[in-house]
């Protein structure tokens, strides 16, 4: 920079002639190659963001399903989800009775 300044003219505002400037070699990076590399990096970042957003959406769906199970089934005293139920009764029953078209009741015996 000092060598350019020494070749400049003027006291208030320095000037340099084209001829004087052409004596200096200025290295400029290859813009096309550099721009390609920047574009590759940005594309990689975009892909990573899309993958992260997909994972977030998937986890939100899982959370919604778990919250639904929690609020519809409830939890046992030891903190586990209650088993699925049919009309409010445990699905683990051996037999059901739906007497006269009514709802099926767990453990109800058919009247004799």
């Amino acid at each position: 920079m000092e060598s350019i300044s020494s070749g400049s003219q003027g006291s208030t505002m320095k000037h340099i002639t084209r001829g004087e400037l052409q004596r200096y070699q200025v290295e400029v990076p290859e813009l096309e190659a550099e721009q390609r590399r920047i574009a590759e990096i940005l594309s990689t970042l975009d892909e990573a963001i899309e993958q992260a957003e997909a994972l977030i959406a998937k986890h939100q769906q899982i959370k919604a399903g778990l919250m639904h199970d929690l609020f519809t089934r409830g939890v046992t005293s030891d903190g586990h989800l209650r088993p699925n139920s049919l009309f409010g009764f445990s699905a683990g029953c051996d037999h059901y009775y739906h007497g006269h078209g009514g709802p099926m009741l767990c453990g109800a015996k058919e009247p004799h």
Side-chain angles (χ1 to χ4, degrees):
M1 216 43 202
E2 289 295 320
S3 60
I4 292 176
S5 184
S6 65
S8 64
Q9 305 168 4
S11 58
T12 306
M13 181 180 255
K14 299 279 185 180
H15 300 280
I16 189 166
T17 65
R18 182 184 300 256
E20 183 69 26
L21 186 59
Q22 287 176 339
R23 290 182 31 208
Y24 298 97
Q25 189 175 22
V26 178
E27 291 186 32
V28 178
E30 270 189 57
L31 291 180
E32 191 173 322
E34 190 173 342
Q35 288 174 349
R36 250 191 241 120
R37 182 67 183 133
I38 291 170
E40 288 173 12
I41 292 169
L42 292 175
S43 292
T44 302
L45 288 173
D46 283 341
E47 288 175 20
I49 289 169
E50 287 175 11
Q51 290 173 357
E53 288 174 343
L55 280 174
I56 289 169
K58 180 180 178 179
H59 287 123
Q60 286 174 335
Q61 289 176 341
I62 291 170
K63 178 184 174 185
L66 290 172
M67 294 298 286
H68 179 267
D69 283 350
L70 176 65
F71 289 118
T72 57
R73 291 168 51 187
V75 291
T76 60
S77 60
D78 59 353
H80 292 94
L81 281 175
R82 289 188 182 138
N84 285 333
S85 61
L86 181 63
F87 301 107
F89 297 98
S90 173
C93 290
D94 291 334
H95 53 278
Y96 299 90
Y97 173 70
H98 68 78
H100 307 297
M104 298 175 82
L105 304 175
C106 178
K109 303 228 185 223
E110 229 177 298
H112 295 284

